[in-house]
Amino acid sequence: MEVNMNGNNIIVYQQNGSTWTAIAATKSDELNVSAGTIEIANADDQDWTRCVAGRKSWGLTTNWLVTTVNDIEKVLTVGTRVRLHIGARGYDGTTGGLTGYAIVKNCKVTLTRGNLAVGGFQFEGDGALA
């Protein structure tokens, strides 16, 4: 029987030493994996472009609720390399999901009077996502 996965059950974790911690009460995530293409010549088909798969890349965008004043300091992580895991709630370092290194490309925190404080990370993959 197929079970529909609720986004609430998928969490992004960051490795800190030997422990994995959820990144700031994750609100929503978007994982994007793509592959480049390399055009090749084909003597049998000169009217159409042919290509082969090139190198892969990945990126992750997360939106989260700011739960403490200290969360504001996460903007200082921009430019650092982190190890991430995208997987089930309650990850203990052994269950399924995807893990890889990424560079913190962007971090923003939106603090609007009268509204929930929210933040967002943009990670650019640094190597394989497995």
Side-chain angles (χ1 to χ4, degrees), residues 12 14 23 57-62 74-84 99-107 120-129:
V12 176
Q14 180 177 335
I23 297 177
S57 63
W58 66 277
L60 175 69
T61 302
T62 67
K74 291 182 179 181
V75 298
L76 301 177
T77 64
V78 169
T80 61
R81 187 176 190 249
V82 296
R83 189 167 186 224
L84 301 176
T99 303
Y101 285 95
I103 304 297
V104 181
K105 189 171 180 179
N106 187 334
C107 180
F121 279 114
Q122 183 179 7
F123 298 99
E124 185 170 324
D126 180 22
L129 183 63

Side-chain angles (χ1 to χ4, degrees), residues 55-74:
R55 298 176 81 177
K56 297 176 188 175
S57 63
W58 66 277
L60 175 69
T61 302
T62 67
N63 295 302
W64 43 274
L65 295 174
V66 175
T67 57
T68 69
V69 172
N70 290 341
D71 280 345
I72 297 168
E73 296 174 5
K74 291 182 179 181

Side-chain angles (χ1 to χ4, degrees), residues 11-126:
I11 303 292
V12 176
Y13 298 90
Q14 180 177 335
Q15 189 173 30
N16 298 311
S18 62
T19 61
W20 291 91
T21 53
I23 297 177
T26 301
K27 184 178 174 190
S28 66
D29 310 315
E30 183 175 294
L31 176 64
N32 182 23
V33 179
S34 61
T37 57
I38 302 166
E39 188 173 326
I40 60 172
N42 184 342
D44 296 331
D45 194 357
Q46 305 219 357
D47 293 333
W48 294 95
T49 301
R50 299 284 313 264
C51 61
V52 296
R55 298 176 81 177
K56 297 176 188 175
S57 63
W58 66 277
L60 175 69
T61 302
T62 67
N63 295 302
W64 43 274
L65 295 174
V66 175
T67 57
T68 69
V69 172
N70 290 341
D71 280 345
I72 297 168
E73 296 174 5
K74 291 182 179 181
V75 298
L76 301 177
T77 64
V78 169
T80 61
R81 187 176 190 249
V82 296
R83 189 167 186 224
L84 301 176
H85 178 81
I86 303 119
R89 183 174 293 279
Y91 180 65
D92 61 4
T94 61
T95 56
L98 297 170
T99 303
Y101 285 95
I103 304 297
V104 181
K105 189 171 180 179
N106 187 334
C107 180
K108 71 175 185 174
V109 177
T110 304
L111 308 166
T112 306
R113 185 175 184 168
N115 290 317
L116 289 173
V118 294
F121 279 114
Q122 183 179 7
F123 298 99
E124 185 170 324
D126 180 22

